[in-house]
Amino acid sequence: MASLGEQKLWGALPRTTTGEIARMTPETRKQLTQRLSHFISSDRLLSDPDRLLAYSYDATGERHRPDLVVLPDSVAEAVKVMEIAHAEHAIVIGRGSGSNLSGGTMPVVGGIIIAFSRLKAILEIDRDNRRVVMEPGVVNADLQTRLRSFGFFYAPDPSSHRIATIGGNVAENSGGPHCVKYGVTTNHVLALDLMMADGTLRSTPQVGASRNGLDWTGLLVGSEGTLAMVVGITATITPMPIAIRTMLAVFSSLDDAVRCVAAIVAAKIVPATLELLDRASLEIIEPFVHAGYPVGAEAVLLMEVDGDEVTLEHDVRTIQQVAEESGAVEFRLATSAQEAEALWKGRRAHYGAAARLAPHLWVQDVTVPRPLLPNMMRDVIAIGERHGFQILTVAHVGDGNLHPVISYDPSDPDAVERMRKADHEILKACVRYGGSITGEHGIGIDKVDNLSLMYTDDELGLMQGIKAIWDPSKRLNPLKAILAPHTLMSEPAPSSYDLKPFMRPESLAEGQDLVRAAYYQSQPLTIRGSGCRGSMWAPHPRGWILDLGAWNRLIDFDKENLTIEVEAGFKANDLALLLRDEGLYLPGVHQGQPDTIGGLIAANVRAIQSPQTWRDWVLGVEWIDGRGRRLRFGRKTMKNVAGYDVPKLAPGSEGRLGIVARIILRLRPLPVRPWAAVGAHSDPRVLLEFSQALLQKPWRPETLVVVRAASQDWSLWMAGVSATSEAWVKNLADAYQMTVTFLPDPEAAPARWESLRDEWWAQAVTQRRYVDGSVLPSQLRAISDACASGHGPVVLFPYTGCYEIYGVVGADVPRVTNRVEGTALWRTKAHEWEDIESRTVRLFDPRGLFSLEKDVTYGF
């Protein structure tokens, strides 16, 4: 009898797209084994069928045997493996613990698996700069344990965190219960060390910090190892909260539960977690783990809030009142850590409890706008009934992320066929509600054939073009995330539009028409919004001006979903006023601001009000590219990356990728108890040291900026949302002998500060003197020292290490990113990214209609 590893593997589902990728021949496999054995020991080079079996499956239940498995002991060994694979044209797949639920690590057509489980070193925990540097094989739970001893935590916490690796989390853009408040993996990864398809090593520039090129980190997170392999991760860490409260609200109606979620948001509370379980889930969980869940209830909400004691008392009281007004029949507050753990034990046991119902589970992952969750959940139940399944449902309801679970027998062909049909109908329903076919599990092989539900051929073609730029030989994890290039990008229809030196299209359709005309005439175009931020970067327009001032319409405002969609010409001032009237805000805009939203995003303008940047607020973007095609990526859901996270390329793109026509933005409730203060000290270094001390505390302010408004006058601008943090700031200021003045109108202070900065920018544009860049936050002292003998306003951002200098610099500034002096614009860019960046620009804009490269001098 054949060994287990040599037997036919069950569970491989029908595929329509595998024929284009050839499997490795026995001769190539033998040659690779010989070459790799020269530096990889036999216990780390697996070729025996029985040993390969362990790498033939993941949590999807499918099985596909690899040709070889290599477990490198170092990045240097992994590089050698990749170089040999490149020379032999072999497929390579990166793998962590294999806990993914979309088949993202499945060797569908064989190849070499590089398993990173031995690369599990936490290289640095940097409290001063609030970051951790680690290898990809670090297990999420192990990282949390290490960080806890330093008083920090890493926010993304997928349900598989006890076995899932950080490298796998990056590949899938993993989420978890805490994402409703803290965001998914992409919101916490600062930079990546990469191994490219040919074995060369590159490091991405730190995200969000500087206007120094396209956001490669944002594009790579969630790309499932199809563009490059992650061999190092730098991520943000967060101070542990002072206290946590866990609550359970019980409902006799699913609609009441979701209505409660909307009411909590309306009450200006953002819980750390907001989980929903339906009736069927409660009925299988409670007998399994005895968590104390009410069997017979239609739905429960498991909620957690964190913060200081005063804030938590208010939040719990408000949530209980809101829940009862929304129809809750019972409300529980865990009175001990043991009670809280019991409630969470039930939520975490959902997968295990469901697994008792059948030989295997199919766990789906879709997102819809939060108010539409009841509709989607009812559709899921009906789809299950039509195909003979009881589908169980849990949801990260705070961000509209739904996990339908189908139990089935993979050895039964009829059950597999019915499961696949039900699965497809769930994806179609999700898209019909304006959602995304994945939220946090990735596309993998599970949904790659269903991407056309969300994207047009042109949109798929662009993502396939991105794949071709990074992996031209199509060897990195093929058939995942996005199929290998095969969709031809359409040529635009001829246009008779009469081009002129100044054009102001009234509609997107007219804008498309004029771009098509410019495409055929090879006429360069310069995009202009309000003429504020962009004028610094393009002092001499290359082409005829395209003014987007008429594109100022509000497309969609979903207050319950905390999203808004506007055209690019929508004024920041108008948006700030609109949101304020509804009790909402967006940190990147303020009253009196003259910029357009499209201009702020294109220039990636930093906000004083928040350490987050436009990459965190932009959920979706619609472009008119250099061919005049409309391309839409992202959705109005918090988790919406299906394929590649193309919207991450918009912030800081400076119009080089075409016209940003429409933008979907994530909103926040206005704080209930804001405060604002100004700290003063004669020495800016003391202000920076005080800021560093604050940032290691769980009650740190949200706004924290060191400013020189005049030649010698330095101050610290602070704003927060907690009365307790206000008291602690006072106490810490006394220790630093620093004067702190709390302002009588805290809600207006951030807008006043931003307005001052607008004035400084206007002066810098007129005088043509400006410098910005970034260093590690702990190195900002060197920037303040360099500015000591200069004059003009200076803004230092202790959260991120960014700085802006509006005027004359007294000494050389280290690590300058952008410098404007007179008519010269000079910027620092990483030379190693020029090839990929230029090809990406040409992918969007093949004839260079929007390129500003002739106006820029690059320093390397």
Side-chain angles (χ1 to χ4, degrees), residues 539-591:
H540 305 296
R542 287 187 59 234
W544 290 350
I545 292 176
L546 180 59
D547 187 300
L548 305 184
W551 293 5
N552 56 7
R553 286 170 280 271
L554 172 65
I555 307 301
D556 177 73
F557 186 13
D558 193 337
K559 290 171 280 189
E560 290 187 12
N561 195 50
L562 292 181
T563 57
I564 192 167
E565 182 174 357
V566 296
E567 290 183 333
F570 207 94
K571 291 293 180 64
N573 172 69
D574 297 341
L575 181 57
L577 292 173
L578 171 65
L579 296 179
R580 183 172 181 79
D581 288 345
E582 299 293 342
L584 302 170
Y585 80 106
L586 178 68
V589 303
H590 60 271
Q591 296 178 40

Side-chain angles (χ1 to χ4, degrees), residues 211 528-537 547-549 551-552 566-577 586-607 614 663 665 751 753-762 765 804 806:
R211 293 182 283 268
R528 191 174 79 177
S530 62
C532 298
R533 303 285 170 171
S535 58
M536 182 67 81
W537 313 123
D547 187 300
L548 305 184
W551 293 5
N552 56 7
V566 296
E567 290 183 333
F570 207 94
K571 291 293 180 64
N573 172 69
D574 297 341
L575 181 57
L577 292 173
L586 178 68
V589 303
H590 60 271
Q591 296 178 40
Q593 191 173 17
D595 304 271
T596 63
I597 300 302
L600 290 171
I601 292 170
N604 197 21
V605 175
R606 306 177 190 95
W614 286 104
I663 308 106
L665 297 162
W753 295 336
E754 290 282 15
S755 296
L756 267 177
R757 191 159 155 251
D758 289 340
E759 293 177 12
W760 300 338
W761 179 267
V765 169
E804 299 172 350
Y806 300 88

Side-chain angles (χ1 to χ4, degrees), residues 634-692:
R635 296 295 186 270
K636 65 175 208 176
T637 53
M638 303 305 120
K639 304 172 182 176
N640 62 33
V641 180
Y644 297 143
D645 196 354
V646 179
K648 287 291 190 296
L649 298 178
S653 61
E654 299 173 356
R656 291 175 297 155
L657 304 182
I659 305 170
V660 173
R662 291 180 175 178
I663 308 106
I664 305 172
L665 297 162
R666 179 180 186 174
L667 307 175
R668 301 170 64 174
L670 279 168
V672 177
R673 301 170 302 282
W675 60 267
V678 176
H681 197 280
S682 58
D683 188 346
R685 292 171 293 185
V686 173
L687 299 177
L688 289 169
E689 290 171 8
F690 175 77
S691 300
Q692 288 297 314

Side-chain angles (χ1 to χ4, degrees), residues 659-803:
I659 305 170
V660 173
R662 291 180 175 178
I663 308 106
I664 305 172
L665 297 162
R666 179 180 186 174
L667 307 175
R668 301 170 64 174
L670 279 168
V672 177
R673 301 170 302 282
W675 60 267
V678 176
H681 197 280
S682 58
D683 188 346
R685 292 171 293 185
V686 173
L687 299 177
L688 289 169
E689 290 171 8
F690 175 77
S691 300
Q692 288 297 314
L694 272 180
L695 290 177
Q696 296 184 40
K697 308 296 183 183
W699 36 265
R700 56 190 182 176
E702 182 159 310
T703 300
L704 196 61
V705 187
V706 175
V707 180
R708 184 178 70 188
S711 296
Q712 304 296 328
D713 186 19
W714 289 88
S715 60
L716 174 63
W717 297 348
M718 297 174 284
V721 297
S722 164
T724 304
S725 68
E726 180 180 348
W728 280 328
V729 165
K730 291 178 181 177
N731 292 335
L732 189 62
D734 290 342
Y736 280 82
Q737 298 181 337
M738 196 175 80
T739 302
V740 174
T741 303
F742 286 85
L743 305 180
D745 188 3
E747 291 188 8
R752 287 202 304 271
W753 295 336
E754 290 282 15
S755 296
L756 267 177
R757 191 159 155 251
D758 289 340
E759 293 177 12
W760 300 338
W761 179 267
Q763 293 172 2
V765 169
T766 302
Q767 299 171 1
R768 304 295 301 163
R769 287 188 177 275
Y770 174 80
V771 176
D772 74 17
S774 69
V775 293
L776 288 175
S778 60
Q779 297 170 343
L780 281 174
R781 175 175 174 172
I783 307 301
S784 68
D785 290 346
C787 297
S789 59
H791 59 83
V794 177
V795 183
L796 308 177
F797 296 83
Y799 262 105
T800 61
C802 293
Y803 57 86

Side-chain angles (χ1 to χ4, degrees), residues 181-203:
K181 178 175 181 177
Y182 293 102
V184 291
T185 297
T186 192
N187 303 115
H188 298 272
V189 176
L190 292 172
L192 296 170
D193 297 324
L194 304 173
M195 182 169 62
M196 309 298 285
D198 61 359
T200 57
L201 296 176
R202 296 189 184 192
S203 297

Side-chain angles (χ1 to χ4, degrees), residues 28-71:
T28 301
R29 183 173 181 268
K30 181 178 180 181
Q31 187 171 347
L32 280 167
T33 303
Q34 291 175 343
R35 294 188 65 180
L36 294 171
S37 65
H38 290 156
F39 61 95
I40 302 289
S41 59
S42 59
D43 62 319
R44 297 186 292 112
L45 176 58
L46 313 183
S47 58
D48 180 81
D50 286 346
R51 299 180 73 187
L52 294 176
L53 191 63
Y55 296 86
S56 69
Y57 63 91
D58 61 9
T60 62
E62 294 205 42
R63 291 190 176 183
H64 302 273
R65 189 187 295 112
D67 292 292
L68 294 169
V69 174
V70 182
L71 291 87

